[in-house]
Amino acid sequence: MKFNTKTIHGGQKHDPAYGSVMPPIYQTSTYAQSTPGGHKGYEYSRTHNPTRNALENAFASIENGNYGLAFASGLAAIDAVLKLLKPGDEVVSTNDLYGGTYRLFTRIYEDFGINFHFIGMKNAERIEEYINKKTKLIWVETPTNPMMNVIDIKAASTIAKKHNVLLAVDNTFATPYLQRPLDLGADIVMHSATKYLGGHSDLVMGALIVKNKALADKLYFIQNASGAICGPQDAFLALRGIKTLHIRMQRHCENGRAVAEYLNNHSKIENVYWSGFENHPNHHIAKSQMDDFGGMVSFTTKGNNYEEAIKILENLKIFTLAESLGGVESLAGHPASMTHASIPKEEREKIGVVDSLIRLSVGIEDEEDLIADLKQAIE
Ligand code: P1T
């Protein structure tokens, strides 16, 4: 099955009870048993729920994995991966990543004795310098939030395999429409399904997808033992969202390109971050591991003017000033005070998250309206 067909049919069966084409929302915590252990595969909804399982099968299918897991949020999914580790273990992570991921690593897991090396991964070979006998996990986000750096997944996977370390890739920005990390050698794909997979800004959810059964079993154990699952109503919405992922992503990419090019030619804009530009530092890697460049674009105002940036954010009319990304509607954010506020100023400025940085999640509205909105807000 090819990708577009998979978004609609991947891992799905018509419901056995009445043949409903969409899986029913099994809004139940428990399942009747005829005798202890005499059930139809479902005992308790923390462990299994038919609506969630339908979604988990869809996750596995679109990422070319064998096993999918759905969680209450993207961070709950990342938390489950970290629970594979033990005190004393080390993680090599990109230094440019979602602020909440950084907060989870440094404010929760460092206290449990996990040690993190946050490094720039533009040159993925650098990962190897930080690997030792205690290293158990490499954490890659690509393209990165919010600087749109691109990390070579194949190169990271070669290092991971050589040292017998797990490679996890946060594929939230790219989605499997653009990039399939398991095919490039990653062990775990993670998503904030809140974003493009759900696609309509109406749910909070996380996903993990793996190929290996032993790894899947460990993660299912953690999912059930820790209990950060998503509810059946949200599972239904995410499943519905995935069915249009391919056509939404196509338009996100077209509009993302138009917005990036418009900003790049504007005299009041300093830097535009988008991996589709030929002078993007890892454009060649983006071209080889992604099918297009996505709908996320970040930029700074001329002379890093903070007041100008705030004025732009306040004046936008079609773009909504809000946290999050990946929905059909265009959003604008101020990473320094919003999504990345939990990264100390000194650390975030090192990676380019300066006070004049604006991040756009370019939606699927008409391109002309989006450009006109940016023009009036900037000018
Ligand atoms: O918000 P949640 O579903 O828990 O997902 C966390 C997360 C993980 N990884 C990436 C790349 C993310 O962007 C996020 C969440 N990001 C935002 C809320 C944001 O506006 O950037």
Side-chain angles (χ1 to χ4, degrees):
M1 225 187 264
K2 292 178 71 179
F3 185 79
N4 297 349
T5 311
K6 278 187 178 182
T7 63
I8 296 163
H9 299 288
Q12 304 305 300
K13 293 190 204 97
H14 298 156
D15 186 67
Y18 299 107
S20 74
V21 168
M22 277 302 281
I25 301 168
Y26 281 94
Q27 193 74 49
T28 187
S29 59
T30 193
Y31 307 82
Q33 306 193 13
S34 55
T35 184
H39 55 74
K40 297 175 177 165
Y42 292 91
E43 291 165 275
Y44 187 58
S45 277
R46 174 164 28 74
T47 320
H48 297 293
N49 173 283
T51 318
R52 193 177 86 226
N53 289 156
L55 172 65
E56 291 176 328
N57 292 340
F59 283 156
S61 171
I62 58 176
E63 281 287 4
N64 295 342
N66 295 323
Y67 306 94
L69 299 94
F71 291 86
S73 68
L75 282 173
I78 302 172
D79 183 74
V81 174
L82 270 286
K83 283 178 175 149
L84 294 167
L85 308 183
K86 295 200 166 50
D89 287 350
E90 294 191 9
V91 179
V92 184
S93 168
T94 174
N95 62 357
D96 171 18
L97 75 177
Y98 172 56
T101 308
Y102 179 86
R103 180 177 56 198
L104 177 67
F105 289 176
T106 56
R107 303 279 299 279
I108 305 279
Y109 280 98
E110 277 187 355
D111 285 350
F112 286 139
I114 312 285
N115 297 310
F116 295 85
H117 301 275
F118 293 99
I119 65 163
M121 292 187 178
K122 265 179 219 159
N123 174 6
E125 311 299 325
R126 284 195 68 211
I127 296 170
E128 195 157 23
E129 292 169 32
Y130 294 84
I131 291 194
N132 61 53
K133 289 208 162 57
K134 293 179 187 163
T135 314
K136 295 288 152 54
L137 176 69
I138 299 169
W139 188 269
V140 162
E141 188 179 292
T142 183
T144 61
N145 180 0
M147 298 309 297
M148 311 301 155
N149 283 310
V150 169
I151 298 166
D152 186 338
I153 298 172
K154 240 189 212 162
S157 134
T158 304
I159 296 167
K161 286 189 175 28
K162 179 172 161 196
H163 296 277
N164 200 22
V165 170
L166 288 174
L167 171 65
V169 176
D170 183 335
N171 202 27
T172 299
F173 271 34
T175 84
Y177 175 78
L178 298 178
Q179 167 175 284
R180 289 149 306 274
L182 296 177
D183 291 350
L184 299 169
D187 300 289
I188 302 173
V189 171
M190 176 264 150
H191 279 274
S192 169
T194 316
K195 316 303 186 212
Y196 290 106
L197 298 191
H200 297 76
S201 304
D202 53 7
L203 56 88
V204 175
M205 188 185 287
L208 296 179
I209 302 101
V210 303
K211 278 194 166 166
N212 177 283
K213 175 153 191 340
L215 180 57
D217 285 345
K218 282 187 200 164
L219 290 167
Y220 283 127
F221 177 83
I222 292 167
Q223 183 193 39
N224 181 49
S226 288
I229 47 126
C230 68
Q233 181 93 27
D234 284 352
F236 176 88
L237 285 173
L239 200 48
R240 185 168 72 164
I242 287 172
K243 287 176 192 288
T244 56
L245 177 65
H246 52 306
I247 50 176
R248 286 186 286 107
M249 285 308 293
Q250 187 183 345
R251 182 64 71 85
H252 282 297
C253 290
E254 287 165 12
N255 286 355
R257 173 185 299 276
V259 163
E261 284 171 356
Y262 171 74
L263 293 170
N264 208 30
N265 290 320
H266 201 292
S267 60
K268 288 187 150 185
I269 301 305
E270 185 87 49
N271 295 313
V272 183
Y273 302 97
W274 179 67
S275 64
F277 290 131
E278 277 183 17
N279 64 356
H280 179 284
N282 271 349
H283 177 67
H284 62 292
I285 293 165
K287 252 176 101 173
S288 74
Q289 71 185 18
M290 295 167 71
D291 296 324
D292 204 336
F293 306 105
M296 296 298 298
V297 180
S298 296
F299 65 97
T300 54
T301 52
K302 204 66 181 183
N304 187 24
N305 187 319
Y306 168 74
E307 286 77 23
E308 279 292 312
I310 299 302
K311 241 191 270 167
I312 294 170
L313 288 168
E314 288 173 351
N315 286 333
L316 286 166
K317 294 191 168 65
I318 293 176
F319 281 84
T320 301
L321 174 58
E323 304 257 354
S324 205
L325 60 111
V328 289
E329 63 287 285
S330 292
L331 301 181
H334 183 242
S337 67
M338 295 166 73
T339 48
H340 293 70
S342 52
I343 303 180
K345 187 173 164 74
E346 208 177 283
E347 290 302 314
R348 65 175 163 74
E349 290 200 337
K350 265 190 226 159
I351 54 167
V353 185
V354 293
D355 287 345
S356 81
L357 185 78
I358 291 175
R359 189 193 72 185
L360 300 178
S361 170
V362 182
I364 64 170
E365 301 94 335
D366 278 308
E367 174 190 314
E368 293 78 5
D369 289 330
L370 298 180
I371 303 284
D373 192 30
L374 287 165
K375 183 171 163 53
Q376 66 77 27
I378 295 168
E379 292 172 11

